[in-house]
């Protein structure tokens, strides 16, 4: 963990040095002095930044939880049932390549401009990765292992909790790492429409007001949120997947 903190710190230092160098070279308002941006954080509470962050996080967490529950169920059904696999497999692989942002107008038309449409879009981005990961993980489980556990008197529920779930958790966490960055990007895009709260709205609002200090501050905060979410998945994996 300390090694990762060091890597993050070195990366932030390197990025800030490049940022400062670009500011000095070009001397333009579009690229402000990073020191001025960091000094502006004293307005953190005055600008209700915590509320913007909280609303964005709620949307992400809601989308992730829904995607985990539905994606795990669908992926499991596809793995253990040939009928479900024949029904759902073409649907999954036909819809997976479709850019989900292209569906935003349809989703907003059906579900409105509020938080529901944003959560649904995040869910749609994450759920396919979960479905494919769970299906492939369950399919790869050694059948002999399941037969041996069943011969020892284990019920289907015990097999699920003690064999299948421990085997698919690492794959799910890896899938979340891949999709969480995409989810943040899409959230930023979604929060440009039909809302006055969230980090995406905060950044774009600052941009339209030509308030570059606040814009960069919002970008920094959103970046820290992304790093925190990514690190949380690492910590969760260390706590849950202790055998790896």
């Amino acid at each position: 963990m300390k090694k990762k903190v060091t890597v993050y710190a070195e990366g932030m230092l390197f990025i800030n040095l490049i940022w400062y160098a670009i500011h000095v070279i070009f001397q333009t308002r579009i690229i402000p002095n990073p020191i001025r941006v960091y000094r502006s954080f004293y307005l953190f509470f005055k600008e209700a930044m915590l509320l913007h962050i909280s609303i964005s996080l709620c949307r992400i967490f809601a989308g992730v939880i829904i995607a985990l529950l539905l994606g795990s169920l669908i992926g499991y059904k596809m793995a253990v049932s040939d009928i479900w696999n024949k029904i759902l497999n073409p649907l999954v692989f036909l819809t997976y390549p479709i850019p989900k942002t292209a569906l935003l107008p349809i989703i907003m038309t059906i579900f409105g401009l509020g938080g529901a449409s944003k959560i649904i879009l995040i869910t749609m981005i994450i759920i396919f990765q979960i479905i494919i990961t769970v299906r492939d993980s369950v399919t790869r489980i050694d059948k002999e292992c399941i037969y041996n556990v069943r011969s020892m008197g284990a019920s289907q529920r015990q097999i699920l909790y003690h064999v299948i779930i421990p085997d698919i958790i690492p794959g799910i966490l890896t899938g979340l790492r891949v999709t969480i960055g995409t989810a943040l990007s899409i959230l930023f895009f979604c929060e440009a429409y039909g809302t006055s709260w969230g980090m995406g709205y905060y950044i774009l609002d600052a941009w339209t007001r030509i308030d570059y200090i606040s814009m960069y501050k919002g970008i920094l905060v959103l970046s820290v949120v992304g790093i925190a979410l990514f690190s949380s998945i690492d910590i969760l994996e260390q706590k849950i997947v202790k055998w790896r």
Side-chain angles (χ1 to χ4, degrees), residues 8 57 180-181 184 220-232:
Y8 285 138
L57 284 175
I180 203 72
L184 278 171
L220 283 172
V221 170
L222 193 61
S223 301
V224 171
V225 168
I227 292 171
L229 290 173
F230 199 86
S231 300
S232 298

Side-chain angles (χ1 to χ4, degrees), residues 47-104:
E47 294 177 336
M49 182 74 80
L50 282 177
L51 187 56
H52 285 291
I53 296 170
S54 300
I55 290 173
S56 291
L57 284 175
C58 285
R59 288 166 178 160
I60 291 173
F61 286 145
V64 168
I65 291 170
I66 294 170
L68 277 174
L69 294 175
L70 289 179
S72 298
L73 178 61
I74 294 170
Y76 178 73
K77 285 291 186 182
M78 289 175 67
V80 300
S81 171
D82 290 335
I83 296 174
W84 279 107
N85 189 50
K86 288 178 181 178
I87 294 171
L88 295 173
N89 194 53
L91 181 63
V92 169
F93 280 91
L94 280 173
T95 54
Y96 182 47
I98 297 174
K100 306 307 178 289
T101 51
L103 302 176
L104 183 60

Side-chain angles (χ1 to χ4, degrees), residues 37 185 189 220:
V37 176
S185 303
F189 178 74
L220 283 172

Side-chain angles (χ1 to χ4, degrees), residues 9-170:
E10 290 175 350
M12 285 294 294
L13 178 61
F14 184 67
I15 290 170
N16 279 283
L17 288 173
I18 293 175
W19 179 3
Y20 184 76
I22 294 173
H23 163 73
V24 171
I25 292 169
F26 291 99
Q27 291 292 319
T28 173
R29 285 184 61 202
I30 300 174
I31 306 173
N33 189 328
I35 296 173
R36 287 189 61 198
V37 176
Y38 286 113
R39 282 178 179 171
S40 70
F41 272 91
Y42 75 91
L43 296 172
F44 194 87
F45 295 99
K46 185 178 179 181
E47 294 177 336
M49 182 74 80
L50 282 177
L51 187 56
H52 285 291
I53 296 170
S54 300
I55 290 173
S56 291
L57 284 175
C58 285
R59 288 166 178 160
I60 291 173
F61 286 145
V64 168
I65 291 170
I66 294 170
L68 277 174
L69 294 175
L70 289 179
S72 298
L73 178 61
I74 294 170
Y76 178 73
K77 285 291 186 182
M78 289 175 67
V80 300
S81 171
D82 290 335
I83 296 174
W84 279 107
N85 189 50
K86 288 178 181 178
I87 294 171
L88 295 173
N89 194 53
L91 181 63
V92 169
F93 280 91
L94 280 173
T95 54
Y96 182 47
I98 297 174
K100 306 307 178 289
T101 51
L103 302 176
L104 183 60
I106 299 173
I107 294 171
M108 285 187 167
T109 301
I110 297 172
F111 297 99
L113 300 176
S117 58
K118 297 164 180 57
I119 292 170
I120 289 169
L121 190 61
I122 292 171
T123 301
M124 290 177 65
I125 290 166
I126 298 175
I127 194 169
F128 288 98
Q129 187 72 40
I130 301 299
I131 290 171
I132 294 170
T133 299
V134 171
R135 188 206 61 181
D136 292 347
S137 297
V138 174
T139 304
R140 283 196 300 265
I141 295 175
D142 188 358
K143 297 296 187 294
E144 289 295 327
C145 178
I146 295 177
Y147 295 149
N148 291 336
V149 174
R150 185 175 286 126
S151 67
M152 296 172 67
S155 65
Q156 187 61 36
R157 179 175 293 182
Q158 289 173 323
I159 292 172
L160 177 64
Y161 284 115
H162 297 289
V163 178
I164 296 175
I165 290 179
D167 192 81
I168 66 175
I169 283 177

